[in-house]
Amino acid sequence: IPGFSWLIRRLRAFPVQIDSAEPRSTREAVRLLQSGQAVMIFPEGGRTPDGRLQRFRPGAFRLACSLKVPVLPVTIVGGHASWPPGRMLPRPGRLRIIYHPIVSPPPEADPRAAARILATEVRNAIAAGLPDADQPEAGE
C-alpha cells in the first residue's frame, strides 16, 4: 500500500522472515532482543484469509527459546472484520486487544522441542481470547 511502507519504517518496523534463508532480519531481531528491546512478531506469518486462527510458524518461538526471552501473547479480536485481506483501507469497527500473561521458554535441552512447547502454550492463550477459536471472528 503506497505510503504504508513509509509509515512502517518510521515506526522502526522491519519484516522478519525467521524461517527463510535470508538472515538480515533475524540478526536485527536478535540484536534488538539482546539489547532489551521488545520485538513484535506475528506467529502466523501473515494475515488470516478467513478470520480463523492459523497454524503458527516456529521461527519466533525458536528465537525466543534460543535467547531465553519471554513471550507476551496478544489476541486481537475484530481485526479481520475491520481489515480483511484484499481491502485497501480498514472499515470502521471495534478491535479488542487482549494481553495474556507472559510465557517463558521451557527449560528443555532440545531447542526444537522447547519451541514446540512454547508455541503450543502461546497459541492456547491466544485462542482462549477468541470468541470461538474454531469459527470466524464475531461479526463476519
Side-chain angles (χ1 to χ4, degrees):
I1 300 173
F4 194 62
S5 62
W6 175 86
L7 174 65
I8 293 297
R9 282 192 302 276
R10 295 288 296 160
L11 295 172
R12 296 180 16 171
F14 59 94
V16 176
Q17 298 175 10
I18 292 173
D19 293 331
S20 76
E22 200 284 299
R24 188 175 21 206
S25 57
T26 302
R27 281 195 303 265
E28 179 64 8
V30 168
R31 184 189 71 73
L32 289 168
L33 290 169
Q34 287 177 333
S35 69
Q37 301 293 313
V39 175
M40 180 172 61
I41 299 175
F42 293 92
E44 294 169 288
R47 296 170 63 196
T48 175
D50 60 6
R52 291 184 173 95
L53 189 61
Q54 303 297 304
R55 181 182 74 83
F56 281 9
R57 300 181 73 172
F61 302 103
R62 287 185 196 147
L63 183 62
C65 289
S66 68
L67 297 175
K68 304 286 189 239
V69 295
V71 174
L72 174 65
V74 177
T75 302
I76 302 171
V77 179
H80 186 266
S82 294
W83 202 349
R87 185 170 172 86
M88 185 67 112
L89 295 171
R91 62 176 69 117
R94 286 193 178 243
L95 294 180
R96 187 173 56 152
I97 300 174
I98 304 165
Y99 297 93
H100 301 282
I102 290 174
V103 180
S104 295
E108 296 291 319
D110 176 25
R112 288 186 185 269
R116 279 192 301 275
I117 292 167
L118 182 61
T120 299
E121 288 182 41
V122 169
R123 190 175 201 289
N124 289 343
I126 291 171
L130 293 173
D132 184 343
D134 296 327
Q135 299 298 318
E137 294 173 0
E140 293 184 44

